[in-house]
């Protein structure tokens, strides 16, 4: 399996677009804690279809979250990270397996619905300022595992859980990164066993991961200077619009 063959039907302009969005998403992710899983489907789905998107992002997330872990490691809450990992491990695998059974249209519907719902979910959690203990965190992580295993753009759920558990600022980003590395490994294992990790999936994942590495450190350098709320508003608009486009395309295939 040649990784370069994964780019066979992709133009240079398309590759540059993917690289540009990956860099932007990594900077946003370093500032807000999420971004890659929400933004990358908007550019990947039109190029490769919906089915390979979650495996691509799962593999690239290893690179993104390892760099984020390295940048923010001293802020990570290891105890809460372990609680989420243990509670979400099995359901993440089940969610990933369920995703491998979807058609292209089904995958587009799932991703589109997750992207659209992520915006009001994040705003709702922030408005109500929900607080939970370790038991609530574990219970929420079980449900989170199903979602993260089978969708893209679900990072906002984990962020909301961690904030409700009492984490703030860099501690949220760091703990999220540690957890996301492990869930990505679980997803990749399931996708590999199911045979959906193709040359194209690996090629795009490596491109996104490599480009995203410096983005995290750019974000750390500017984290105190850049207005996060502006980036978040732009991200919300892009995510909702992309979700609508994806669902519309999927419905056209089904009808």
């Amino acid at each position: 399996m040649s990784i370069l063959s994964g780019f066979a039907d992709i133009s240079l302009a398309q590759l540059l677009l993917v690289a540009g969005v990956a860099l932007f998403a990594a900077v946003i992710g370093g500032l807000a804690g999420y971004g890659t899983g929400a933004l990358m489907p908007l550019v990947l789905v039109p190029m490769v279809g919906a089915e390979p998107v979650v495996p691509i992002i799962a593999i690239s997330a290893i690179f993104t979250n390892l760099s984020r872990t390295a940048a923010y490691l001293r802020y990570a809450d290891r105890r809460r990270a372990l609680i989420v990992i243990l509670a979400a491990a099995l359901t993440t695998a089940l969610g990933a397996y369920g995703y491998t059974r979807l058609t292209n249209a089904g995958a587009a519907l799932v991703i589109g619905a997750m992207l659209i719902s992520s915006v009001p979910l994040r705003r709702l959690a922030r408005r109500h300022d929900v607080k939970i203990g370790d038991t609530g965190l574990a219970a929420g992580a079980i449900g989170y595992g199903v979602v993260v295993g089978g969708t893209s753009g679900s990072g906002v759920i984990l962020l909301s859980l961690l904030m409700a558990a009492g984490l703030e600022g860099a501690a949220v980003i760091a703990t999220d990164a540690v957890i996301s590395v492990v869930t990505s490994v679980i997803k990749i294992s399931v996708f590999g066993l199911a045979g959906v990790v193709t040359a194209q999936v690996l090629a795009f994942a490596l491109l996104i991961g490599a480009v995203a590495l410096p983005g995290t450190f750019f974000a750390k350098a500017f984290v105190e200077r850049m207005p996060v709320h502006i980036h978040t508003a732009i991200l919300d608009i892009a995510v909702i619009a992309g979700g609508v486009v994806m669902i519309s395309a999927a419905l056209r295939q089904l009808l």
Side-chain angles (χ1 to χ4, degrees):
M1 178 172 64
S2 171
I3 292 178
L4 291 178
S5 67
F7 293 135
D9 299 322
I10 307 298
S11 69
L12 178 59
Q14 288 175 313
L15 290 178
L16 290 174
L17 176 61
V18 170
V21 173
L23 181 61
F24 176 71
V27 173
I28 292 295
L31 290 167
Y34 74 108
T36 302
L39 282 175
M40 292 314 302
L42 310 185
V43 67
L44 288 174
V45 171
M47 291 185 196
V48 300
E51 287 179 276
V53 168
V54 171
I56 288 172
I57 293 176
I59 297 173
S60 66
I62 294 289
F63 297 91
T64 306
N65 286 301
L66 280 176
S67 65
R68 199 174 296 166
T69 299
Y72 295 96
L73 181 60
R74 66 191 181 95
Y75 299 104
D77 187 314
R78 292 167 176 78
R79 183 176 63 83
R80 289 190 175 97
L82 185 60
I83 289 172
V84 174
I85 289 167
L86 292 176
L90 178 59
T91 52
T92 297
L94 292 174
Y97 175 74
Y99 183 84
T100 65
R101 313 305 296 173
L102 294 175
T103 62
N104 190 61
L109 283 172
V110 169
I111 296 172
M114 185 62 236
L115 293 180
I116 293 172
S117 62
S118 69
V119 174
L121 278 174
R122 179 179 56 78
R123 292 179 179 272
L124 208 63
R126 179 178 294 177
R127 181 177 303 141
H128 290 284
D129 194 25
V130 178
K131 299 298 180 186
I132 58 176
D134 290 350
T135 301
L137 180 62
I142 293 172
Y144 164 72
V146 176
V147 179
V148 75
T151 66
S152 175
S154 57
V156 65
I157 297 176
L158 179 55
L159 290 175
S160 298
L161 283 172
L162 294 176
M163 287 188 288
L167 299 186
E168 297 178 345
V172 177
I173 297 173
T175 308
D176 171 274
V178 172
I179 295 166
S180 297
V181 168
V182 178
T183 55
S184 293
V185 169
I186 294 172
K187 291 164 67 174
I188 293 166
S189 300
V190 175
F191 293 144
L193 290 172
V196 298
V197 180
T198 63
Q200 185 181 67
V201 167
L202 283 174
F204 274 102
L206 291 175
L207 171 63
I208 294 167
V211 171
L213 284 173
T216 301
F217 292 92
F218 290 155
K220 186 185 179 186
F222 295 110
V223 72
E224 294 180 350
R225 302 188 185 102
M226 300 178 72
V228 179
H229 66 281
I230 293 177
H231 294 292
T232 303
I234 294 172
L235 182 59
D236 285 350
I237 294 170
V239 165
I240 290 175
V244 169
V245 170
M246 256 180 258
I247 289 176
S248 300
L251 290 176
R252 282 197 297 271
Q253 292 180 44
L254 293 173
L255 298 177

